[in-house]
Amino acid sequence: MRLTKRWRQAIVFAIFSAILIAVASRFQGAARKLLFKKHEKRVPGDGRPLTFNPLMQPVGEPRGRLVRADDDSQSRANATLLVLARNSEINGLVRTMKDVERTFNSKFNYPWTFFNDEPFSEQFKRRTQASTKATCRYEIIPREHWDTPKWINQDILDVSNDILVEDNIMYAKLPSYRKMCRWNSGLFYQHPALKDFRWYWRIEPNTKYFCSIDYDVFKYMEDNDKTYGYVINIYDSPQSIRTLWPTTLEFIAQHPEYVDSNNSLQWLIDDKVRPDHNRIANGYSTCHFWSNFEIGDMNFFRGKAYSEYFNYLDQRGGFFYERWGDAPVHSIGLGLFLDKTKIHWFKDIGYVHQPYYNCPMSDKCSGCKAGKFTDADWLSPENCIGNFFKYGHAD
């Protein structure tokens, strides 16, 4: 019997997945034992949800020395507002820029850096520059950082696309989404336009900001020895990252020296609250920092541990075969290679990227109901902030 192309592709994909899981499983026991023995005392998880909503507690600006807009004695941080956008997203981007300028940047005047895989239109440049008094830079992503890598097998990719469609995974057959996730995971900070910057604030089109930010968030991170800041912590679709954690354990087994002694491992591997996610993702809770908002130190990502981790993942092809997202990749890297006290929840920054919110109880906020997480009640279980409170660090 002659096999159809579809069946041949399916067999190739099944063999590929089985080999990947089998190889990874050789390292899993050793890596887990090493992580628990050497780097972190296991904290028993009881599976109970957080009994209070931290966003319903009144919040002000974070503690510590804060540099304010009218403080001329302090220099600004070496930072930029970073945007990946297409020309067609200009309307949603301008709305977001006006929010960011109104709540923060009109007071501190940090430059904007825009990235696209195609040249920006004159309309895009004109409208974005008109939305800020700060400097705007318009950069093109190098083809070698955006195109599908030569080691990706098209037969495997075709079948994996169909499987993701069957699993109802968003953007399952959208090549540009995979390219974006790969670029955001490990290539953006390598762009020559960012080589002289240390800090970035990732801004997404069609996001909203609700609260006045009257202190320099970059200087806060710098002065308080923070590396990464987030606002929303949620679960990912486990079907899109089935081999991400086993592949991570392969890497850790080869490089145990990169794991920080005060890591966030328990947050990454919890199997009590959403055991189905942990099972499908082969040991990963799927909790992650939702990276459409992040304020980060590019020196961490440029460091040896994270750079080698990204390169290892990239060679495995999971950004294309399984649609690994930059959010779980960033989160696992941060959770393992960074002291968890260097991760900061910007609880005071009101933010929404539909369908999820970060809505503080603060007199500096308007237009967002305090404590709100989502407009859709059925999405409430996706909130993972309780697990980061339990196992990580929330200051």
Side-chain angles (χ1 to χ4, degrees):
M1 178 179 174
R2 186 178 179 84
L3 295 175
T4 65
K5 180 180 179 182
R6 164 66 180 172
W7 274 104
R8 289 198 304 272
Q9 291 175 334
I11 292 170
V12 169
F13 182 72
I15 293 172
F16 167 81
S17 299
I19 291 174
L20 191 60
I21 293 293
V23 170
S25 66
R26 291 176 53 203
F27 297 93
Q28 192 156 345
R32 285 175 62 89
K33 186 181 295 184
L34 180 149
L35 285 170
F36 285 123
K37 180 179 180 180
K38 185 175 180 181
H39 294 288
E40 181 160 313
K41 182 179 179 181
R42 179 181 282 272
V43 180
D46 55 18
R48 291 178 295 184
L50 203 65
T51 57
F52 69 96
N53 184 345
L55 285 170
M56 291 303 293
Q57 298 176 323
V59 62
E61 294 169 343
R63 291 178 299 225
R65 188 171 69 88
L66 301 177
V67 177
R68 306 193 179 280
D70 57 359
D71 187 351
D72 295 332
S73 66
Q74 297 293 326
S75 61
R76 292 185 309 168
N78 183 13
T80 187
L81 306 176
L82 187 152
V83 180
L84 174 65
R86 295 191 178 280
N87 289 312
S88 59
E89 296 177 293
I90 184 61
N91 290 333
L93 175 58
V94 165
R95 287 193 293 269
T96 297
M97 284 186 69
K98 289 179 178 178
D99 263 7
V100 174
E101 289 291 326
R102 172 180 54 82
T103 58
F104 172 76
N105 203 45
S106 61
K107 308 159 196 173
F108 296 96
N109 205 41
Y110 279 101
W112 291 79
T113 306
F114 300 94
F115 290 97
N116 194 348
D117 65 305
E118 299 175 348
F120 284 107
S121 67
E122 290 305 312
Q123 181 195 40
F124 186 100
K125 294 178 181 179
R126 175 174 49 80
R127 292 187 62 188
T128 49
Q129 184 62 81
S131 301
T132 178
K133 293 180 180 179
T135 301
C136 291
R137 297 176 173 88
Y138 303 92
E139 305 292 342
I140 298 178
I141 300 170
R143 294 258 54 101
E144 63 270 22
H145 282 183
W146 191 259
D147 290 345
T148 302
K150 61 181 181 299
W151 56 84
I152 298 301
N153 182 291
Q154 190 60 48
D155 285 341
I156 296 174
L157 183 57
D158 290 342
V159 175
S160 68
N161 283 345
D162 292 338
I163 291 172
L164 290 173
V165 168
E166 292 171 5
D167 284 336
N168 296 315
I169 299 300
M170 291 179 66
Y171 315 118
K173 285 197 170 184
L174 195 62
S176 61
Y177 190 84
R178 287 169 162 81
K179 295 174 181 179
M180 175 197 71
C181 290
R182 177 176 178 253
W183 187 78
N184 279 324
S185 291
L187 297 169
F188 77 93
Y189 52 84
Q190 299 183 36
H191 196 286
L194 296 178
K195 67 182 178 62
D196 295 325
F197 285 110
R198 176 183 175 186
W199 299 94
Y200 73 99
W201 179 345
R202 179 170 160 184
I203 307 290
E204 291 278 330
N206 294 305
T207 54
K208 295 181 180 179
Y209 290 80
F210 299 102
C211 309
S212 181
I213 306 166
D214 298 320
Y215 65 97
D216 188 331
V217 296
F218 298 115
K219 291 297 288 185
Y220 171 80
M221 298 283 283
E222 198 170 81
D223 292 343
N224 291 277
D225 196 23
K226 302 297 181 182
T227 297
Y228 187 83
Y230 73 98
V231 289
I232 293 172
N233 195 314
I234 60 174
Y235 290 94
D236 204 356
S237 301
Q239 295 86 352
S240 68
I241 48 173
R242 292 180 189 271
T243 63
L244 176 57
W245 185 247
T247 306
T248 298
L249 292 181
E250 277 184 53
F251 178 78
I252 293 303
Q254 298 175 44
H255 295 285
E257 71 276 10
Y258 291 155
V259 180
D260 192 274
S261 60
N262 193 33
N263 60 64
S264 306
L265 175 66
Q266 292 285 350
W267 169 65
L268 295 172
I269 64 169
D270 175 75
D271 61 357
K272 301 297 188 299
V273 179
R274 298 291 292 275
D276 55 327
H277 279 229
N278 185 289
R279 175 181 54 80
I280 296 170
N282 290 290
Y284 173 34
S285 69
T286 77
C287 283
H288 65 276
F289 308 117
W290 215 25
S291 58
N292 44 65
F293 172 105
E294 54 185 8
I295 296 175
D297 184 347
M298 285 184 279
N299 287 346
F300 169 79
F301 296 109
R302 292 166 177 150
K304 189 173 182 181
Y306 186 86
S307 293
E308 291 189 12
Y309 174 59
F310 167 75
N311 290 335
Y312 194 88
L313 296 181
D314 198 25
Q315 289 294 321
R316 290 298 186 272
F319 291 106
F320 292 87
Y321 299 142
E322 288 190 343
R323 209 220 70 185
W324 293 347
D326 54 278
V329 171
H330 278 195
S331 299
I332 291 174
L334 291 157
L336 290 178
F337 310 140
L338 183 67
D339 183 328
K340 59 189 175 186
T341 64
K342 296 180 183 292
I343 298 173
H344 177 66
W345 177 30
F346 278 102
K347 180 181 177 181
D348 56 304
I349 295 182
Y351 174 83
V352 60
H353 187 303
Q354 289 291 352
Y356 301 117
Y357 293 75
N358 188 73
C359 293
M361 180 179 285
S362 169
D363 57 9
K364 292 195 173 189
C365 305
S366 61
C368 186
K369 183 180 178 182
K372 184 175 185 176
F373 172 68
T374 180
D375 288 315
D377 289 342
W378 62 275
L379 288 174
S380 295
E382 303 307 317
N383 194 351
C384 195
I385 191 68
N387 262 21
F388 200 65
F389 263 72
K390 184 188 296 184
Y391 296 130
H393 181 83
D395 54 2

